Amino acid sequence: MQSLDWLILAIYFAVLIAIGLWASSKRKKGGSLFLAEHSLRWHHIGFSMWGTNVGPSMLIASASAGFTTGIVSGNYAWYAFLFIALLAFVFAPRYLGANVHTLPEFMGLRFGQSTRNILAWYTIITIIISWLALTLFAGGILIRQVFDIPMWMSAMVLLVISAFFTMLGGLKAVAYTNVYQMILLIVVSLVLVIVGLDRVGGIQSLVDKVPADYWVMFKPNSDEAFPWLPIILGYPVMGVWFWCTDQSMVQPVLAARNLREGQLGTNFTGWLKILDVALYILPGIICFALFGDTLKNPDEAYLTMVENLFPVGMVGLVFAVLTACLVSTIGSALNALSTVFTMDIYVKRFRPNASQRHINYVGRLVTVIGAVTAIALTVAIDAIKGLNLFNVFQSVLGFIAPPMSAVFLLGIFWRRTTTHAANFALTIGTAFCLTVGVLYLWPPEWLNVAWPHFMLLSFELFVILAVAMVIISLTDGDKTQYDIPAPVREGWSKLAVGLWLALAAVMISLYVYFN
């Protein structure tokens, strides 16, 4: 980082804060912090969902995967369009029709207050661990390296910036700043790819310099890292949980101006996910072609490209982009956390008649408490030595997906699903999945099990929980019936349907071409 790099980084923060203040001024006085007064347009929704999904760890891990295996890890980006479409046409109409603030509130309408309570705490714990602590841990490492400050201070810097927008302007400020940050991310990443391709000698030269299987999306089942069958079966479990039932991801859709904007916004997210391969994975492949003989650690592929290809000034832009990824993800997570706790726990159980001003005050207070908790967890994770905790926790999160996916899918598609079945999956089912996850990651010496691939195991756990829910529902003596919230009828757009069909055609063509 030279003087020009620091100047560019300072300009980035100045513009970011200016946009946040402007967006906050657009919020109605006394209006809710949580759903942006249902004012979000399609571009706010698309960039926000994509920005929440993107983090510096994703940039670095994607380039590393590109360096070692080619584009096959792009399945996690391209395959997602099916589940984003499921959100657009199955879940979003019901969420918006129910006019809810949170997904626990929605499931409370479907299964009752007990399920809402369980799911609220479930969501809060997931947000604090996966969205906040792990993101801060990964980002804190980056900030610590650049600024040479302790981990707690790195986490504090990131949280202060993110919490500033969340507390001042709520979701509207987060969404508006996400647009600016994600456009910056696209521009800088695209420049890195173009410069890299020019250094290699063009696309054909790049193809010639890397193994032929670097351009294949489906590897044989004998491949240890990316066998095709576990991806086909296992990713849907993760996809439904991540794209359709996670509060941090879905909240921009809940804040859509109407169903049309929600469906167009999710469609825009689907198009943006196509860029993941070109902007995040391709730099790793280019790095392999340029520096494959000298680079020993694939995790350094992204920053190696930056260091060797970008001049002074552009390096500052790259760190601005990495910071943008962090602020986007953390801001969305803080807003989701304050929304769930305030609306599902505090207002519902303690102050059902609270004024909007009081609700906003509690939401801001929860944001501060959540931030402090996340800093404490981040420092604790950093204090444990000798273990790649980030990868471990990311793997453990894969074992959280089966219960959520089973409850939401059966709750929506099968009217006979009972409250006892849903609560069983969210409690006993989660404990079972996490136990399997611990045994999978840290197998004891006495356990001699030939584990299947991680993604296939996730699918098998989902099937077990779904079958258990069906059995419990069919044998349940509790005859209490809750209606499945009806989908909103108005707002379906021919344009949205047409764009989704076009996206499906493009995705199928890409899979055919790269197979």
Side-chain angles (χ1 to χ4, degrees), residues 102 104-105 113 116-125 337-352 362 366:
T102 69
E105 182 183 357
Q113 185 61 35
R116 180 178 181 178
N117 291 339
I118 294 170
L119 195 55
W121 285 110
Y122 187 107
T123 302
I124 288 169
I125 293 170
L337 174 69
S338 64
T339 304
V340 171
F341 185 89
T342 305
M343 302 308 299
D344 288 310
I345 295 176
Y346 182 79
V347 172
K348 179 65 179 177
R349 300 190 63 181
F350 302 109
R351 292 287 295 273
V362 174
V366 171

Side-chain angles (χ1 to χ4, degrees), residues 279-295:
L279 299 182
Y280 309 150
I281 296 176
L282 190 57
I285 301 176
I286 296 172
C287 185
F288 178 85
L290 292 174
F291 310 107
D293 296 333
T294 58
L295 184 62

Side-chain angles (χ1 to χ4, degrees), residues 238-491:
M238 297 285 292
V240 169
W241 166 63
F242 188 78
W243 292 106
C244 302
T245 73
D246 185 273
Q247 181 74 26
S248 298
M249 289 302 305
V250 176
Q251 188 145 329
V253 178
L254 300 181
R257 179 174 295 185
N258 49 45
L259 179 60
R260 178 180 184 273
E261 296 293 335
Q263 291 178 334
L264 289 174
T266 51
N267 177 261
F268 186 39
T269 304
W271 290 103
L272 289 171
K273 290 298 292 178
I274 296 178
L275 298 179
D276 284 11
V277 173
L279 299 182
Y280 309 150
I281 296 176
L282 190 57
I285 301 176
I286 296 172
C287 185
F288 178 85
L290 292 174
F291 310 107
D293 296 333
T294 58
L295 184 62
K296 302 303 180 185
N297 184 2
D299 290 340
E300 297 175 359
Y302 187 85
L303 293 180
T304 297
M305 289 281 287
V306 171
E307 181 182 355
N308 288 277
L309 301 184
F310 274 175
V312 173
M314 285 299 291
V315 175
L317 265 181
V318 169
F319 281 110
V321 163
L322 294 175
T323 306
C325 295
L326 286 162
V327 172
S328 176
T329 301
I330 295 168
S332 298
L334 285 174
N335 187 259
L337 174 69
S338 64
T339 304
V340 171
F341 185 89
T342 305
M343 302 308 299
D344 288 310
I345 295 176
Y346 182 79
V347 172
K348 179 65 179 177
R349 300 190 63 181
F350 302 109
R351 292 287 295 273
N353 298 318
S355 66
Q356 187 61 60
R357 181 178 180 181
H358 183 72
I359 290 172
N360 287 347
Y361 168 77
V362 174
R364 292 186 175 103
L365 182 62
V366 171
T367 299
V368 174
I369 295 172
V372 172
T373 304
I375 291 174
L377 278 174
T378 304
V379 174
I381 291 172
D382 187 53
I384 301 176
K385 307 299 182 183
L387 190 64
N388 190 333
L389 281 172
F390 181 76
N391 290 338
V392 168
F393 275 117
Q394 287 291 79
S395 300
V396 169
L397 292 176
F399 294 99
I400 293 178
M404 289 286 283
S405 296
V407 168
F408 273 81
L409 287 175
L410 267 69
I412 291 293
F413 290 106
W414 193 39
R415 187 173 297 276
R416 293 186 63 181
T417 309
T418 65
T419 300
H420 287 152
N423 291 351
F424 170 85
L426 290 174
T427 54
I428 306 300
T430 298
F432 170 68
C433 289
L434 290 178
T435 301
V436 172
V438 170
L439 294 175
Y440 177 86
L441 291 166
W442 300 288
E445 294 182 2
W446 53 265
L447 185 65
N448 187 17
V449 175
W451 292 103
H453 187 275
F454 161 75
M455 299 295 286
L456 191 59
L457 181 58
S458 182
F459 172 74
E460 291 171 353
L461 290 171
F462 167 80
V463 172
I464 291 171
L465 290 182
V467 170
M469 288 181 66
V470 170
I471 294 173
I472 292 172
S473 297
L474 293 176
T475 58
D476 199 344
D478 185 2
K479 302 302 181 183
T480 305
Q481 291 290 321
Y482 294 93
D483 292 331
I484 300 175
V488 62
R489 300 297 180 186
E490 300 80 19

Side-chain angles (χ1 to χ4, degrees), residues 6-66:
W6 290 110
L7 176 62
I8 289 175
L9 197 59
I11 292 172
Y12 155 74
F13 279 118
V15 174
L16 180 67
I17 292 171
I19 293 175
L21 290 171
W22 173 77
S24 300
S25 69
K26 304 287 285 185
R27 185 173 66 87
K28 295 178 182 178
K29 187 176 182 180
S32 173
L33 290 173
F34 304 132
L35 294 185
E37 294 105 22
H38 290 284
S39 64
L40 297 190
R41 301 291 304 276
W42 62 270
H43 53 287
H44 301 129
I45 296 168
F47 278 125
S48 289
M49 292 184 68
W50 192 52
T52 303
N53 181 216
V54 175
S57 57
M58 178 180 173
L59 289 177
I60 294 169
S62 296
S64 176

